Amino acid sequence: MFGDRAVAPALATAFAVSCAVSTAQQSRYRDRVFARTTVYSDVLYGAAVHRYTGQTVPLRLDLYEPTGDAEPLRAALLVVHGGGFWSGSKSEPVIVQLAQDLAQRGYVVASIDYRLRPTRGDVTYQDVVDASHDLKAAVRWLRRFALPLRIDRARVAAVGGSAGAVTALEAAYVPGAGSSGNPGYSSRLAAVVSLWGFLWDESQLDPGEPPVSIVHGTNDPIVPFARAQALRAAAAAAGVGHEFHPMLGQGHAAFAEYLRSYHDDTVAFLWERLWLALRSGLAATAVPGEVRITTFGVAGDFWAPLVAARPAFIPFGRFGVLGLDPSSLRVLSVQRLSGATRLPSSTLRVPVPGPLQPPSVAIQAVHADAAGQLRLLTNAVVTVSP
């Protein structure tokens, strides 16, 4: 399945297919829009020398993807288990639960194993480096097979818990590719979520590096809450995008409380920081004379549905792609997203302007922040009347 092959530019093709995205997937990456996932177990992603045994060990991952998904360019996440760098596994029930949840939302998810100490003991910095190099090899593996896996190379992020968070943070902010496999591909992460972890040396944070979401129990006896506060301060000082979510009264590895009360913020963080409205977030249906448009986005943002007689493909910098023919483009309305939830939805039913009648219209939405500054252009949707 994962044979090496040349990677061709796929943006235009992906955009063209996204023009036919179904209403059912307009909340992709926000909601669990897929009922089932398909899992490929124990996929080899690399190999590395174990410093404690001197033996070369295989490195494996479990790959989760939404069952029946036809999206041509999908965001990817790596899930990294904890265990103090001497125990833990990609097969732990809570790790499987997290990977399944994220895949049901539309991500391709790789849950990885990495090199561990043979026995419990004081963690050394080299243990962290080895694990981070394995994670970087897994990032490169996803990019190596981006074409057959239909992965958007620009949207690869990591979520780690405890030692897995330490590993993800090290991989995100500390140079050094390691030699665990898949050379020649980028190991850069687009974002990282730290669940009760820490960065070994916070001074490694530099401007322009990936944003981080920090989730940490205030009563953590294993990784003191002060380490999370230090990471937050370092990110702020370096100008690195960050969120801080103290879990009040919680201890270490409080997965049950995290999934119940904090996971939605992780989902929103990834949706915002990976600019996923460029890949999803708009649906529309049309009948003669009327169009119904649904979008979702950041609380309090403004959005304006746009309609044109024909689709187009005009790159618009970091804001996305203008998918509408400028010569026939019309702004239908300006709306405000609710502030009640972090990623609210909004639906509008409007008449289609005179010359822009079905059977075929191209529809897109532009989003701007509360100050009126352009945030992004959603994916375009072409609708055809029954």
Side-chain angles (χ1 to χ4, degrees), residues 239-272:
V240 170
H242 62 283
E243 294 184 5
F244 191 54
H245 300 285
M247 300 178 68
L248 299 178
Q250 296 296 315
H252 190 70
F255 261 113
E257 180 61 20
Y258 165 76
L259 291 171
R260 179 168 48 248
S261 305
Y262 296 86
H263 183 53
D264 285 349
D265 278 315
T266 293
V267 170
F269 167 81
L270 292 169
W271 191 89
E272 292 177 27

